[in-house]
Coordinates of all heavy atoms in Angstrom, one line a residue:
A167 N -118.0 130.0 29.4 CA -117.8 128.5 29.3 C -119.0 127.7 29.5 O -118.9 126.4 29.5 CB -116.8 128.1 30.4
I168 N -120.2 128.3 29.6 CA -121.4 127.6 29.8 C -121.7 126.5 28.7 O -122.1 125.4 29.0 CB -122.6 128.5 30.0 CG1 -122.6 129.1 31.4 CG2 -123.9 127.9 29.7 CD1 -123.7 130.2 31.6
P169 N -121.6 126.8 27.4 CA -121.8 125.8 26.4 C -121.0 124.5 26.6 O -121.5 123.4 26.5 CB -121.5 126.5 25.1 CG -121.7 127.9 25.3 CD -121.3 128.1 26.8
G170 N -119.7 124.7 26.9 CA -118.9 123.5 27.2 C -119.3 122.8 28.4 O -119.2 121.5 28.5
I171 N -119.6 123.5 29.5 CA -120.1 122.9 30.7 C -121.3 122.1 30.5 O -121.5 120.9 31.0 CB -120.3 124.0 31.8 CG1 -118.9 124.6 32.1 CG2 -120.9 123.4 33.1 CD1 -119.1 125.8 33.1
L172 N -122.3 122.6 29.8 CA -123.5 121.9 29.5 C -123.3 120.7 28.7 O -124.0 119.7 28.8 CB -124.5 122.9 28.8 CG -125.2 123.9 29.8 CD1 -126.2 124.8 29.0 CD2 -126.0 123.2 30.9
S173 N -122.3 120.7 27.8 CA -122.0 119.5 27.0 C -121.5 118.4 28.0 O -121.9 117.2 27.8 CB -120.9 119.8 26.0 OG -121.3 120.8 25.1
G174 N -120.7 118.7 29.0 CA -120.3 117.7 30.0 C -121.5 117.2 30.8 O -121.6 116.0 31.1
V175 N -122.4 118.1 31.1 CA -123.6 117.7 31.8 C -124.5 116.8 31.0 O -125.0 115.8 31.5 CB -124.5 118.9 32.3 CG1 -125.8 118.5 32.9 CG2 -123.7 119.8 33.2
V176 N -124.6 117.0 29.7 CA -125.3 116.2 28.8 C -124.7 114.8 28.7 O -125.4 113.7 28.8 CB -125.4 116.8 27.4 CG1 -126.0 115.8 26.4 CG2 -126.3 118.0 27.4
L177 N -123.4 114.7 28.6 CA -122.7 113.4 28.6 C -122.9 112.7 29.9 O -123.1 111.5 29.9 CB -121.2 113.6 28.4 CG -120.8 114.2 27.0 CD1 -119.3 114.5 26.9 CD2 -121.2 113.1 25.9
A178 N -122.8 113.4 31.0 CA -123.1 112.8 32.3 C -124.5 112.3 32.4 O -124.7 111.2 33.0 CB -122.8 113.8 33.4
T179 N -125.4 113.0 31.9 CA -126.9 112.6 32.0 C -127.0 111.3 31.2 O -127.8 110.4 31.6 CB -127.8 113.7 31.4 OG1 -127.6 114.9 32.2 CG2 -129.2 113.3 31.5
G180 N -126.4 111.3 30.0 CA -126.5 110.1 29.2 C -125.9 108.8 29.9 O -126.5 107.7 29.8
R181 N -124.9 109.0 30.6 CA -124.3 107.9 31.4 C -125.2 107.5 32.5 O -125.4 106.3 32.8 CB -122.9 108.3 31.9 CG -122.2 107.1 32.6 CD -120.8 107.4 32.8 NE -120.1 106.1 33.3 CZ -118.8 106.1 33.7 NH1 -118.1 107.2 33.6 NH2 -118.3 104.9 34.0
I182 N -125.9 108.5 33.2 CA -126.8 108.1 34.2 C -128.0 107.3 33.7 O -128.4 106.3 34.2 CB -127.3 109.4 34.9 CG1 -126.2 110.1 35.7 CG2 -128.5 109.1 35.9 CD1 -126.5 111.4 36.2
V183 N -128.6 107.8 32.6 CA -129.8 107.2 32.1 C -129.5 105.8 31.6 O -130.3 104.9 31.7 CB -130.4 108.1 31.0 CG1 -131.5 107.4 30.3 CG2 -130.8 109.4 31.5
G184 N -128.3 105.6 31.0 CA -128.0 104.3 30.4 C -127.3 103.3 31.3 O -127.0 102.2 30.9
E185 N -127.2 103.7 32.6 CA -126.4 102.8 33.5 C -127.3 101.7 34.0 O -128.5 101.9 34.4 CB -125.9 103.6 34.7 CG -125.0 102.9 35.6 CD -123.9 102.2 34.9 OE1 -123.2 102.9 34.1 OE2 -123.7 101.0 35.2
T186 N -126.7 100.5 34.1 CA -127.5 99.4 34.6 C -126.7 98.6 35.7 O -127.2 98.4 36.8 CB -127.8 98.3 33.5 OG1 -126.5 98.0 32.9 CG2 -128.7 98.9 32.5
A187 N -125.4 98.3 35.5 CA -124.6 97.5 36.4 C -124.5 98.1 37.8 O -124.8 97.4 38.8 CB -123.2 97.2 35.8
A188 N -124.2 99.4 37.8 CA -124.0 100.0 39.1 C -125.3 100.1 39.9 O -125.3 100.0 41.1 CB -123.4 101.4 38.9
L189 N -126.4 100.3 39.2 CA -127.7 100.5 39.8 C -128.3 99.2 40.3 O -129.1 99.2 41.3 CB -128.7 101.3 38.9 CG -128.3 102.7 38.6 CD1 -129.3 103.3 37.6 CD2 -128.3 103.5 39.9
I190 N -128.0 98.1 39.6 CA -128.5 96.8 40.1 C -128.0 96.5 41.4 O -128.7 95.9 42.3 CB -128.2 95.7 39.1 CG1 -129.0 95.9 37.8 CG2 -128.4 94.3 39.6 CD1 -128.6 94.9 36.7
Y191 N -126.7 96.9 41.7 CA -126.1 96.6 43.0 C -126.5 97.6 44.1 O -126.3 97.3 45.3 CB -124.6 96.6 42.8 CG -124.0 95.4 42.2 CD1 -123.6 95.4 40.9 CD2 -123.9 94.1 42.8 CE1 -123.0 94.3 40.2 CE2 -123.4 93.0 42.2 CZ -123.0 93.1 40.9 OH -122.5 92.0 40.3
T192 N -127.0 98.7 43.7 CA -127.2 99.8 44.7 C -128.7 100.2 44.8 O -129.2 100.3 45.9 CB -126.4 101.0 44.4 OG1 -126.6 101.4 43.0 CG2 -124.9 100.7 44.5
A193 N -129.3 100.4 43.7 CA -130.7 100.9 43.7 C -131.7 99.7 43.7 O -132.9 99.8 44.1 CB -131.0 101.8 42.6
G194 N -131.2 98.5 43.2 CA -132.1 97.4 43.2 C -132.9 97.3 41.9 O -132.7 98.1 41.0
S195 N -133.8 96.5 41.8 CA -134.7 96.3 40.6 C -136.1 96.1 41.0 O -136.9 95.5 40.2 CB -134.2 95.1 39.8 OG -134.2 93.9 40.6
V196 N -136.6 96.7 42.0 CA -138.0 96.6 42.4 C -138.8 97.5 41.4 O -138.5 98.6 41.2 CB -138.2 97.1 43.8 CG1 -139.7 97.1 44.2 CG2 -137.4 96.3 44.8
A197 N -139.9 96.9 40.9 CA -140.6 97.6 39.8 C -141.8 98.4 40.4 O -142.9 98.1 40.2 CB -141.2 96.5 38.8
K198 N -141.4 99.4 41.2 CA -142.4 100.3 41.7 C -141.7 101.6 42.1 O -140.5 101.7 42.2 CB -143.1 99.7 42.9 CG -142.2 99.6 44.1 CD -143.0 99.1 45.4 CE -142.2 99.0 46.6 NZ -142.9 98.6 47.8
V199 N -142.5 102.6 42.3 CA -142.0 103.9 42.8 C -141.9 103.9 44.3 O -142.9 103.7 45.0 CB -142.8 105.1 42.3 CG1 -142.2 106.4 42.8 CG2 -142.9 105.1 40.8
P200 N -140.7 104.0 44.9 CA -140.6 103.9 46.4 C -141.2 105.1 47.1 O -141.4 106.2 46.4 CB -139.1 103.8 46.6 CG -138.5 104.5 45.4 CD -139.4 104.2 44.3
E201 N -141.6 104.9 48.3 CA -142.2 106.0 49.0 C -141.2 107.1 49.5 O -141.6 108.2 49.8 CB -142.9 105.5 50.3 CG -144.1 104.5 50.0 CD -144.7 104.0 51.2 OE1 -144.2 104.3 52.3 OE2 -145.7 103.3 51.1
S202 N -140.0 106.8 49.5 CA -138.9 107.7 49.9 C -137.6 107.3 49.1 O -137.6 106.3 48.4 CB -138.7 107.7 51.4 OG -138.1 106.5 51.8
L203 N -136.6 108.2 49.3 CA -135.3 107.9 48.6 C -134.6 106.7 49.2 O -133.7 106.2 48.6 CB -134.4 109.1 48.8 CG -134.8 110.4 48.0 CD1 -133.9 111.5 48.3 CD2 -134.9 110.1 46.5

């Protein structure tokens, strides 16, 4: 089932990379690399 599982992971990755609304409220919008998580 690995090919199908990886397809789901790819779709999930695309949603992570393209997400804005959820991250503006949680991760913020500071334009720098933070020192920690």
Side-chain angles (χ1 to χ4, degrees):
I168 281 178
I171 295 172
L172 284 179
S173 298
V175 173
V176 170
L177 292 174
T179 304
R181 187 167 187 182
I182 292 172
V183 173
E185 186 55 49
T186 54
L189 292 177
I190 289 176
Y191 285 106
T192 54
S195 58
V196 177
K198 68 175 184 178
V199 181
E201 297 180 356
S202 68
L203 294 177

